[in-house]
Amino acid sequence: MSIEGRGDAVGGRLRLGMVGGGQGAFIGAVHRMAARLDDRWVLAAGALSSDPVRARASALELGIAEDRAYASYQDMLAAEAGRADRIDAVAIVTPNHMHYPVARAALEAGFDVICDKPLTATVAEAEALADLVATSGRLFAVTYNYTGYPLIRQARAMVAAGAIGDIRVVQVEYPQAWLTEPIEQGGQKQADWRTDPARSGAGGCVGDIGTHAYDLARFVSGLEAEAILAELTTFVPGRRLDDNVGVLIRYRGGARGMLWASQVAPGNENGLRLRVYGSRGGLEWSQEDPNYLWFTPLGEPKRRITRGGDGASPEAGRLTRVPFGHPEGYIEGFANIYREIADALAARKSGGAVDPAVVFPDVADGLAGVRFVAAAVKSASAGGTWVPLA
Amino acid sequence: MSIEGRGDAVGGRLRLGMVGGGQGAFIGAVHRMAARLDDRWVLAAGALSSDPVRARASALELGIAEDRAYASYQDMLAAEAGRADRIDAVAIVTPNHMHYPVARAALEAGFDVICDKPLTATVAEAEALADLVATSGRLFAVTYNYTGYPLIRQARAMVAAGAIGDIRVVQVEYPQAWLTEPIEQGGQKQADWRTDPARSGAGGCVGDIGTHAYDLARFVSGLEAEAILAELTTFVPGRRLDDNVGVLIRYRGGARGMLWASQVAPGNENGLRLRVYGSRGGLEWSQEDPNYLWFTPLGEPKRRITRGGDGASPEAGRLTRVPFGHPEGYIEGFANIYREIADALAARKSGGAVDPAVVFPDVADGLAGVRFVAAAVKSASAGGTWVPLA
Amino acid sequence: MSIEGRGDAVGGRLRLGMVGGGQGAFIGAVHRMAARLDDRWVLAAGALSSDPVRARASALELGIAEDRAYASYQDMLAAEAGRADRIDAVAIVTPNHMHYPVARAALEAGFDVICDKPLTATVAEAEALADLVATSGRLFAVTYNYTGYPLIRQARAMVAAGAIGDIRVVQVEYPQAWLTEPIEQGGQKQADWRTDPARSGAGGCVGDIGTHAYDLARFVSGLEAEAILAELTTFVPGRRLDDNVGVLIRYRGGARGMLWASQVAPGNENGLRLRVYGSRGGLEWSQEDPNYLWFTPLGEPKRRITRGGDGASPEAGRLTRVPFGHPEGYIEGFANIYREIADALAARKSGGAVDPAVVFPDVADGLAGVRFVAAAVKSASAGGTWVPLA
Amino acid sequence: MSIEGRGDAVGGRLRLGMVGGGQGAFIGAVHRMAARLDDRWVLAAGALSSDPVRARASALELGIAEDRAYASYQDMLAAEAGRADRIDAVAIVTPNHMHYPVARAALEAGFDVICDKPLTATVAEAEALADLVATSGRLFAVTYNYTGYPLIRQARAMVAAGAIGDIRVVQVEYPQAWLTEPIEQGGQKQADWRTDPARSGAGGCVGDIGTHAYDLARFVSGLEAEAILAELTTFVPGRRLDDNVGVLIRYRGGARGMLWASQVAPGNENGLRLRVYGSRGGLEWSQEDPNYLWFTPLGEPKRRITRGGDGASPEAGRLTRVPFGHPEGYIEGFANIYREIADALAARKSGGAVDPAVVFPDVADGLAGVRFVAAAVKSASAGGTWVPLA
C-alpha cells in the first residue's frame, strides 16, 4: 500500500474567488467540491453569474459573505485587490468565450488564475494570455482535470522512465452520447452554450472534449504533435458545431496517433480512454474505471496496477486518499489539481521550491489545446488536409 | 440523466465534534472528507486521540480552534454541552472497544451521535445503546457507509418495488488480501487493533468486514436472518482472531444466503459484492465498480444501469453529484451518509418531516450487526451449528 | 506464444460407439463435436436412444453405417464385441440413471468407457464401477469436461508447483438461471429428466452442476474434502429436486471452501467460477471467460495469463489449437478430454507409456463426485449438519 | 434460448480439396477444424505445400488417401476433374500471392472455391477473379471468418432492421502485439511471409488484419466507403511493410469511420473490435469476447445480448451449437462459414434455393478488401491524402 496523500488541510487554507458557476451551472459546483475535498481552500468570494442578481443570490446561497458576493467579475477583482484578506486565486468557470477577458483582467489585477478548458476561443487570445502570464509572473492553471488522476500520473512517470520503451502509437478516444439528439434546441443549458459558436468557439465536440483527449495524450506520452489531420462532422440536423471528430496525429519523433471524440455515440457516457504503445510495452487506462492502470511489459502477461495497491508508484501515491479497493473518482482527480495549486502557492508564499511532482496543467498546456482546436478546424475546413502544429 | 444531488451547502452548516481519528488514523480522515464534501458540516471540535497530547496536536493541525481542541472525549462533551454554539453531533471513529463508552456518554450528554461500525463489542452493549437512543430521542447513525452508494439505494428500492419478484437467494462476499501475512506482528497500526480481541471484540474478519457484508445484504434485500451457521478460521499463524469466514444464512420467509469474508485472499482489495436473485430477476453490484448496477429481468438481457444515467432511479439520483460516466467512489458514498444525517438534523431543527428517502443506518442496524457477529462466533465455537438470530 | 496442440489427427482415428444422444438430446451432440474436432475419433456405431426406432433413425441420420445403427446398447455391445473393426470405446451420454447399467455392461464386454457425469445415481453403484474398472483393467473416463480447459490445467500445475503457497481458501460457484421457472412442467426435455429423481438421482442442482463445481475445485486445488455441510433448497413450487445449493467444505489439511450452485439465479448463464487463495498468492478463473487466468503473486499486481499467450504454461499449451486472442471455448475444452483419451488409448496400443500430462477425470473422480452428492443430500436431510467424506 | 444450429451432418458430407496448409502452417489447420466441426465436410484431397515432397507427406499424415495426396495444385485440379467422386470445393490457404493463380485455375477447372483473405495481391487480379466467377457461375467464398460469429450476424440484422437508426459513426480496430519485435528476421514462419511484399502484397498490417477490420465494418454496417485516408507506418527497423495503420473513412451517405490496425501494440492479442453508432442507438462487439453483443437503445440502459441467450436473434441462433454461457469461439465462428458454404452447395445440388440467411463473404467482398488495401497504400504513399473508392 502506497498512500501518502492526505485529505486534510495542514497549515492553513487558501481563499478562492470564483467567476461563473452560479445556479444551474455544472462545472462550477465541481470546482467547489474539488477545492473543498482536501480542506485546502475556502470559497471566499464570487461573481457567479453574468446576471448580477443571480450572481449575488448564488453567492449568498453558498455561504459567501455579503460583502464578497459580487455582481460582476470586474467588481470582484477591484474590491478584492484592495483587501488585506484578498483572495489567493481566481477560478474561472464560465462558458469558453469569457475565459479570455476574465483571465486577462485577473492577471492584470495581480491575481493567480485557475481557468477551465479550453483556455480561450482563439489562438491569438491564448498566446496573449501566455505572454501575460510570462510577464506577470502569476501562476496560471488550466483544469485539464483528467491529468489529476493518480494513475495518469503513474503512467506519465512510467513513460518518462522508459517502462514501455520508445513510444510508437498513441490511441486516445473520448466518446459520449448526450448530444445524440438536438437537446440544445430544447434549451438544455449545458448543450446550449456548448453548441453555440459565439460562446464555445469554433470547435464543438473537438473543443469541449477533444481537447481533453489531446491534452491527456500529451501529458502521458510527453509527445508534441507535429501535424494533424481532422474530420469534423455535424450529424445532428440544425447543430451549429461539430459533434464527432476523427483526428490523425503525427507526433514529433515519429510516433503516430489517432484521436476520436464524439458526443453522438449512444452507449458511451464519458468514455475518455488512453492507450500508449512503445517498443517495450503498453499502457492502457480508462477514465470510467480510473483506479486501474493496465501495463504490459513486452513478452509478459498484462498486469493490473491499482491505485494505492501493489505496483502503485510514488507519483500515484501522493495523490491517493483512501486505500486500494476503495474507489476514487472524478471529484478526487479534480481535487488533485486544486491540491497541487495549493501546494504551489504555499511554496511560493513560504519561499520554498515547488515539489517537482507538482505538474498540474498550465497556460502552455492551455495554449497547446487551443492550437489543436484551431488546427483541427482548419484541417476540416480544407477538406481534410494535414495542418502543422507550431 | 437524473441528478438531483448538489455538492453545495444550502442553508447553513452543522458543527461536528470528533472522537478519535488523530494522526495516523485511517477512518477519521475518511469521515472528515465525507463530512466536508457537500459543505454541510464544519469540524468544530475534537478529542482526536486517547493520548491527550496527540489529541490536541491533531486537532490544531486540522484547524480546530484552540479552545475546542480537547484532550479527551469527556472534556469535549462537558465543554460543548455548555456552549451556545455547541456541536450538532459527535462522530465516533475510535477502535471498536471505545464505541460503547463514548456513544453512551454522548447520548447521556444530549448529543446526536454518528458511530463507526461495528456498533459495539458485545450484544449487551449494543442493546443498551439501542435502549438509550429510544429513551433519549437522539439521532444515532452507524456508518455502514456502503449503504450510501447511490446504486445501492436504487437496488434497495427496486427490490422493495418487486422488480425482481420474491427474493430467493442472496450472495454477498467481501474478500481482501491485506492480512495474508502477519503484519500485525510488525506493528502495522490498522492491523494491530483489528486483530486484538481487546480492542476489536470477539470477531476479527467477521466483525471488521463481515458485518459490512451482512448489513449490505439486509439493507438491499430487506430480509432479516432467522439463523446462521458460520465457519471462522484463522489461517495466519499467531493471529488471535479469525481472518476468513464462511456463513450460511437462512432468511425469514425462506430465502437462503451465503456470506464470505476474508482478509487472506490475495488478488482482492476491497471486494464487497452483492448479488440478489428473485423469482422475476436478479441484481448484481460490486463496491469496486460502484457506478454500475446490473439488472436482469427474467427472460431479458442483462442491463447495465449507471449512476446518473438512463435507468437510474430517484433514489440514486438524489445522492448523485456528477453526471454519468464521471465516476463517484468511496468518499462520495460515505459522504451521502453525512449528507443524510445533515438532512435529518435540519428537518428536526426546522420542525419539518425527514424525507422518507433518508435511510442511513441507525442503532437498530448497528445492533443487528453485533448480533450477527455474536451468532457467528457462537456457531463457530460450537463446531459449526445453526444459531438462531433474534 | 506457446502452442503445441494440433487440431489434426496424426496416426489414425479411433472408433467410437455412443449410447444415448439421439434426436433432441443435448450432450450427445457435444460429445460428437468434441470427438470430431481433432480428427482423432470416428463415430462408428451407436445405440442413440432407448427407443429402438429413434435409435436407428438417429444413427442413420448421423451417417453411421446401417449395420452399426443399433436398436439398443445391449445389441451394440454384443455385435461390436465380435467385429474385427470393433469400436475402441463406448461413450455413455444417457440420463444419469442409465450410466450404471450401460457402463457395467460395457466394461464386462471388455470395452473402454467414456461416461458423462455424474457417474451414477448412488454411491454403491459408483463403488461397484470403480471395482470393476480395477479388475477389468479398462480405461474409464468421466467427462467432467471443465477440467479440459487449458488454463484450468495451468492453474492445477501452478498450484502443484507452489505458485500460490499453501492453499487456504477455495471458493467455487456455478450459478445458472434456466430453471427459475417450472419449465419441466411444460415438458422441456432437458429440464424434465434433470428434475426427476428417478432419472437424475437424489441430487438436482447439486448433482447436475454442483458436482462439476466440486470436481473442478478438487482438480485444481489437489485437495480432498474431509467433511461438508450443505443447504439444499427447492425454490420453484412443485419441483421435486433441489434447485439451489450452498455448501461449506472442510478440506483435509485445513483449507476451507464454499460452494454455491444454483439454477434459479437470473442473470447467470453457466457461471462456473473458481477462486483459489494460498499463503503466497491467488488464482481466479471463470468458465464464461475461459481464455484468461488471473494470477496474483502476493505483493504484486494481478496478472492476466492468456491461453497461448505470454505466461501460458506447457500444460496449457499442449491443449491449445489457435493462438492467443483467438478464443477457444466449451467445445474445445470438451475436445481436450477426448483428445487425451485418444492419447491414452494410442499409448496402450503401442505399448508406450501415457504422457503424465494426460489427466482426464477417471472413475475415481466420478466416485468422488457421487459421494459428494450423497453427503450433501444427507447433510441437508439432517437439517444442515457436518457429514464426513470418505 | 434460441439455438437452432446443429453440430452434426445431416444428409451427407462434401469433399474438400485443400491447397496449402501443410506441415508448419497455421491457417490450414484452422480451415480443417472449421470444416470438420459440423461434420459437413471430409478432407478428400490435398496439395498441401509448394514443395512436392512436403505436400504429399503432409497429406498422408492427415489421412488423405494415397492417390489424392497431390504434389501440386495443378496435379490436384487435373486429377480431381476426372474423378467421379471429385472434390466439391477447393480451399486455398496459401500465402497471399498464390491466391490468384490457384483460384483462377480452380475456377477454370470448374471447381467451387473457398479462398483465404486478402483475395489477391492486386486489384487487377481481384477484378479478374470477380469476372471469372461471374462467367463461370461457380461459388466463391472468401474466408473473412469474423463474419461467421453468431452475434456479428445479429448485429448486421439489427442494423438492417433499423435498431440503431441511421448510422453515423463506425469505429473499428484490430490491434495485435506479435510483430513488436523483428521476429521475421529470426525466421518465424508466419511473420516471414507476412512482412514480405513478394508474398504478402503491398500491404503488411493493412492487408493482413486491416482488411478483416474493414470487411467486418462493411458487413455489419452495410455501408460502403466513398473515400479513405490512410497513414501506414513501419515502426520496426528493417521491416519491409507497414506494421501500424490508421485510416479515416468517409462512407457513402455521410457516416464517418475510423480504422486502426496494429501489429506493434503490446498488451493486445487479437483485438478486433467493432462499434457502430446510429441516431437511435449503438452496438459494440469484441472478437476476444465474442459471445456478447452490447446494445444500447438511445435513452435506455446498455444491454448485454448473449449468444444463445435472451435477446439472441434467429440470425445468431441458426449458427449456435451450444447454449448460452457455454462459450463458442474462433473455430466455431470459422466453422459457420464452412457450414454455410455447405448449405449453399447442398441447395444447388438439390436444385433448391439457398436460405437467404446464408451470407458468407464472397468474391465481391474479397474485391472490396483488395481495393481498400490498394487505396490505403496509395493514400499513404501520397503523404496522407483522400483516395476515392470505386
Side-chain angles (χ1 to χ4, degrees), chain A residues 365-379:
Chain A
D365 299 302
L367 173 55
V370 176
R371 283 182 172 145
F372 164 74
V373 174
V377 170
K378 182 177 176 185
S379 172

Side-chain angles (χ1 to χ4, degrees), chain A residues 102-149:
Chain A
V102 180
R104 173 166 204 94
L107 288 168
E108 289 175 342
F111 290 100
D112 298 303
V113 174
I114 302 164
C115 185
D116 213 80
K117 45 51 61 186
L119 178 56
T120 60
T122 69
V123 172
E125 288 173 350
E127 289 173 341
L129 282 187
D131 289 346
L132 195 50
V133 169
T135 55
S136 70
R138 290 293 93 198
L139 177 149
F140 197 103
V142 178
T143 49
Y144 281 124
N145 59 289
Y146 299 111
T147 62
Y149 276 110

Side-chain angles (χ1 to χ4, degrees), chain B residues 14-19 41 76-77 80-81 86-92 102-115 132-134 136-142 338 341-349 360:
Chain B
L14 297 166
R15 287 176 293 272
L16 188 67
M18 183 169 279
V19 180
W41 294 89
M76 182 176 90
L77 296 176
E80 290 291 325
R86 57 181 273 171
I87 51 177
D88 291 288
V90 173
I92 305 173
V102 179
R104 173 167 205 94
L107 288 168
E108 290 175 343
F111 289 100
D112 297 303
V113 174
I114 302 164
C115 184
L132 195 50
V133 169
S136 69
R138 292 291 94 198
L139 177 150
F140 197 103
V142 178
Y338 268 89
I341 298 168
D343 285 342
L345 292 177
R348 195 177 62 190
K349 271 193 184 176
F360 60 80

Side-chain angles (χ1 to χ4, degrees), chain D residues 29-324:
Chain D
V30 170
H31 278 251
R32 290 191 291 270
M33 287 187 281
R36 196 157 54 227
L37 185 64
D38 293 332
D39 208 17
R40 300 286 296 276
W41 294 89
V42 170
L43 182 65
L48 300 177
S49 172
S50 54
D51 171 345
V53 175
R54 177 180 291 188
R56 281 181 49 79
S58 296
L60 296 175
E61 193 178 84
L62 294 176
I64 291 175
E66 173 73 28
D67 64 331
R68 301 176 94 168
Y70 299 102
S72 71
Y73 75 88
Q74 294 92 338
D75 285 1
M76 183 176 89
L77 297 175
E80 289 292 326
R83 293 180 71 112
D85 61 347
R86 56 180 275 170
I87 51 176
D88 292 288
V90 174
I92 306 174
V93 297
T94 64
N96 302 346
H97 69 303
M98 291 302 295
H99 291 179
Y100 176 68
V102 180
R104 174 167 205 94
L107 288 168
E108 290 175 342
F111 290 100
D112 298 302
V113 174
I114 302 164
C115 184
D116 214 82
K117 44 53 57 185
L119 178 57
T120 59
T122 70
V123 172
E125 289 172 350
E127 290 173 340
L129 282 187
D131 289 345
L132 196 49
V133 170
T135 55
S136 69
R138 292 291 95 197
L139 177 150
F140 197 103
V142 179
T143 50
Y144 281 122
N145 59 289
Y146 298 112
T147 63
Y149 276 110
L151 290 175
I152 283 296
R153 296 301 179 94
Q154 174 155 357
R156 174 185 165 102
M158 289 177 72
V159 168
I164 60 169
D166 296 325
I167 295 183
R168 293 169 169 175
V169 179
V170 180
Q171 298 290 121
V172 65
E173 65 182 41
Y174 198 155
Q176 298 180 329
W178 70 297
L179 292 179
T180 296
E181 296 191 295
I183 58 173
E184 67 270 32
Q185 297 171 20
Q188 208 268 12
K189 183 182 167 115
Q190 297 301 321
D192 183 32
W193 74 259
R194 280 183 172 78
T195 59
D196 176 5
R199 284 173 287 172
S200 192
C205 175
V206 70
D208 189 29
I209 59 174
T211 46
H212 270 303
Y214 182 76
D215 181 75
L216 193 71
R218 287 177 69 241
F219 186 82
V220 170
S221 73
L223 297 177
E224 293 291 346
E226 187 169 86
I228 67 168
L229 186 149
E231 277 271 272
L232 304 188
T233 313
T234 304
F235 283 110
V236 173
R239 183 159 292 160
R240 291 173 291 169
L241 288 170
D242 62 284
D243 48 26
N244 189 79
V245 55
V247 186
L248 298 179
I249 304 177
R250 291 176 179 161
Y251 287 102
R252 294 179 200 163
R256 291 292 178 264
M258 299 177 81
L259 181 155
W260 172 50
S262 184
Q263 294 174 319
V264 294
N268 294 281
E269 298 195 327
N270 198 44
L272 177 59
R273 183 178 174 222
L274 177 66
R275 295 177 286 181
V276 185
Y277 302 107
S279 57
R280 303 302 308 159
L283 286 169
E284 300 164 337
W285 180 85
S286 167
Q287 191 271 153
E288 296 191 359
D289 199 18
N291 294 281
Y292 304 100
L293 175 66
W294 297 89
F295 170 45
T296 309
L298 186 63
E300 297 183 28
K302 191 179 290 251
R303 300 173 189 177
R304 189 189 74 166
I305 295 170
T306 64
R307 184 194 50 75
D310 297 312
S313 74
E315 292 82 4
R318 62 181 282 278
L319 297 177
T320 288
R321 292 167 189 81
V322 285
F324 49 71

Side-chain angles (χ1 to χ4, degrees), chain C residues 291-371:
Chain C
N291 294 281
Y292 305 100
L293 174 66
W294 298 89
F295 169 46
T296 309
L298 186 63
E300 296 183 29
K302 191 178 292 249
R303 300 173 188 177
R304 189 189 73 165
I305 295 171
T306 64
R307 183 195 50 75
D310 297 312
S313 74
E315 291 82 4
R318 63 182 281 278
L319 297 177
T320 288
R321 292 167 190 81
V322 285
F324 47 71
H326 300 68
E328 295 191 10
Y330 176 83
I331 295 171
E332 288 82 355
F334 214 117
N336 288 333
I337 304 293
Y338 269 88
R339 177 196 288 195
E340 289 199 328
I341 298 169
D343 286 342
L345 292 178
R348 195 178 62 190
K349 272 192 184 175
S350 69
V354 179
D355 182 343
V358 170
V359 290
F360 60 81
D362 62 12
V363 75
D365 299 302
L367 173 56
V370 176
R371 282 180 173 147

Side-chain angles (χ1 to χ4, degrees), chain C residues 65-105:
Chain C
E66 173 72 28
D67 64 330
R68 300 176 94 167
Y70 299 102
S72 72
Y73 75 88
Q74 294 92 339
D75 285 0
M76 182 176 91
L77 296 175
E80 290 290 326
R83 293 181 70 111
D85 62 348
R86 57 179 275 171
I87 51 176
D88 291 289
V90 174
I92 305 173
V93 296
T94 64
N96 301 347
H97 68 303
M98 291 302 295
H99 291 180
Y100 176 69
V102 180
R104 173 165 205 97

